[in-house]
Amino acid sequence: MKVLDAIALILVVIGALNWGLIGFFNYNLVGSLFGFTSMFTRIIYGLVGLSGIYAISFFGREEYRN
């Protein structure tokens, strides 16, 4: 599970950085790198969203408390 946790965390961080860039500088890094309407961009956004949902489970885990 640790590998899945690390992958989810990396994707959540990528999503957070992308939203920060959009919010502060009106710059979409993922869209700029892979195309704004490409299927690959939609897959990345989907994976980031699923990772965020999965990361919610971190709050209920004993190892992530304290």
Side-chain angles (χ1 to χ4, degrees), residues 6-65:
I7 292 169
L9 186 58
I10 289 168
L11 287 171
V12 168
V13 169
I14 289 169
L17 291 173
N18 194 52
W19 275 110
L21 287 170
I22 291 170
F24 289 119
F25 305 109
N26 198 26
Y27 180 71
N28 185 343
L29 180 63
V30 174
S32 295
L33 290 176
F34 303 110
F36 289 96
T37 58
S38 74
M39 182 58 80
F40 192 64
T41 300
R42 291 177 51 111
I43 290 169
I44 291 172
Y45 287 144
L47 290 174
V48 167
L50 289 174
S51 296
I53 293 168
Y54 177 76
I56 292 171
S57 72
F58 294 171
F59 290 113
R61 295 187 188 176
E62 186 66 34
E63 61 196 66
Y64 292 110
R65 293 184 190 164

